[in-house]
């Protein structure tokens, strides 16, 4: 029954329940971005939650959805998941909005290229993330200083949840032991919680946290 070879309808229902509930955990982050007019993050969140739900639904049910099978949805799911992580690196770089756009588009092109090489090869997922993270670290090595947010509590909490998300993701790589996608679902949930806390940091030390783009548009960027 489906690409995951679920044996009973109870298992299928459970897998679908896990898929829907864990993806829905991203809704809190999306609503917060809309409220603060962070349009890029809001649209990216919507795309990520929709594509992930459609991918796992096609995988569980073993059918095509909107003209795409689970393999095609898997490729698109990878693109948005990696883009979320690369965008997190851009967020932490504390650039002005023009530079943010440059890095977002640049990383998107890189991600699309690697996913066309092969969405099932883990290296094509890891390499774009490593490049984005290296760009982030490289900026602060060049500046020889740390950004203000590294001392903030929401950043520390977000790091803990992100670490838990990575552990869950690694546990969910084995289809034979995670056939209900429980661990992969925890990757969705823990990642959503991490992003919620990360976007509550005050990137530039101005005291307005998640409203960074709307209220800080006319201020000099840090550093």
């Amino acid at each position: 029954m489906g690409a995951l070879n679920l044996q009973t309808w109870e298992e299928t229902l459970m897998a679908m329940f896990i898929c829907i509930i864990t993806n829905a955990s991203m809704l809190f982050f999306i609503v917060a971005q809309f409220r603060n007019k962070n349009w890029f993050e809001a649209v990216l969140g919507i795309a990520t939650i929709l594509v992930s739900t459609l991918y796992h639904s096609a995988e569980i049910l073993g059918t095509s959805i909107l003209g795409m099978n689970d393999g095609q949805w898997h490729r698109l799911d990878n693109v948005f998941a990696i883009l979320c992580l690369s965008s997190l690196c851009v967020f932490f770089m504390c650039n002005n909005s023009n530079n943010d756009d440059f890095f977002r588009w640049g990383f998107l092109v890189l991600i699309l290229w690697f996913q066309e090489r092969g969405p099932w090869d883990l290296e094509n997922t890891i390499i774009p993330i490593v490049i984005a993270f290296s760009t982030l670290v490289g900026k602060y090595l060049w500046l020889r200083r740390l950004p203000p947010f590294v001392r903030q509590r929401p950043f520390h909490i977000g790091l803990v949840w992100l670490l838990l998300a990575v552990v869950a993701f690694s546990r969910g790589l084995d289809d034979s032991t995670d056939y209900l996608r429980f661990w992969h679902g925890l990757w969705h949930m823990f990642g959503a919680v991490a992003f919620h806390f990360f976007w509550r940091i005050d990137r530039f030390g101005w005291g307005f946290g998640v409203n960074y783009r709307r209220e800080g548009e006319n201020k000099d960027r840090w550093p």
Side-chain angles (χ1 to χ4, degrees):
M1 186 181 295
L4 295 179
N5 295 319
L6 301 176
Q7 300 301 313
T8 65
W9 66 268
E10 290 92 345
E11 290 181 337
T12 300
L13 287 178
M14 180 58 68
M16 284 298 303
F17 176 79
I18 292 172
C19 166
I20 294 171
I21 292 298
T22 58
N23 276 296
S25 62
M26 194 70 168
L27 288 173
F28 297 100
F29 173 80
I30 294 171
V31 170
Q33 302 318 303
F34 270 110
R35 286 178 175 174
N36 290 285
K37 298 184 179 180
N38 299 328
W39 306 124
F40 174 83
E41 289 81 1
V43 173
L44 178 58
I46 291 172
T48 301
I49 192 175
L50 286 177
V51 169
S52 178
T53 301
L54 292 172
Y55 158 51
H56 290 297
S57 296
E59 181 186 42
I60 293 167
L61 300 175
T63 187
S64 294
I65 299 178
L66 299 178
M68 294 171 59
N69 59 34
D70 65 307
Q72 293 170 302
W73 283 113
H74 173 69
R75 186 191 302 268
L76 201 55
D77 179 60
N78 279 1
V79 168
F80 285 114
I82 302 169
L83 186 59
C84 284
L85 294 175
S86 68
S87 297
L88 178 63
C89 292
V90 174
F91 177 75
F92 285 154
M93 288 174 70
C94 301
N95 301 311
N96 60 42
S97 58
N98 289 333
N99 288 340
D100 277 351
D101 288 341
F102 170 81
F103 284 108
R104 287 180 186 135
W105 282 106
F107 288 144
L108 176 58
V109 171
L110 192 68
I111 292 165
L112 290 173
W113 175 35
F114 274 95
Q115 284 304 295
E116 282 300 313
R117 291 179 62 194
W120 284 274
D121 294 331
L122 190 58
E123 66 178 27
N124 291 321
T125 296
I126 297 298
I127 293 176
I129 296 173
V130 170
I131 292 175
F133 182 74
S134 298
T135 304
L136 167 64
V137 173
K139 172 177 179 174
Y140 293 112
L141 288 177
W142 178 70
L143 292 172
R144 297 183 181 179
R145 69 173 86 174
L146 293 175
F149 63 76
V150 298
R151 294 181 291 273
Q152 296 175 15
R153 182 175 175 82
F155 177 72
H156 302 156
I157 297 174
L159 282 181
V160 172
W161 283 104
L162 184 60
L163 178 61
L164 292 174
V166 171
V167 172
F169 177 80
S170 63
R171 292 290 300 270
L173 289 175
D174 188 349
D175 290 347
S176 63
T177 58
D178 194 35
Y179 63 98
L180 291 179
R181 289 292 185 261
F182 172 77
W183 283 104
H184 191 81
L186 290 181
W187 150 254
H188 294 161
M189 293 188 68
F190 294 162
V193 175
F195 270 59
H196 170 76
F197 281 103
F198 284 144
W199 257 262
R200 296 191 67 80
I201 67 172
D202 177 6
R203 294 201 301 171
F204 306 105
W206 294 333
F208 50 74
V210 294
N211 300 313
Y212 69 93
R213 185 168 296 114
R214 180 179 59 190
E215 299 183 31
E217 199 63 44
N218 295 321
K219 298 185 180 182
D220 292 332
R221 289 297 189 264
W222 185 93

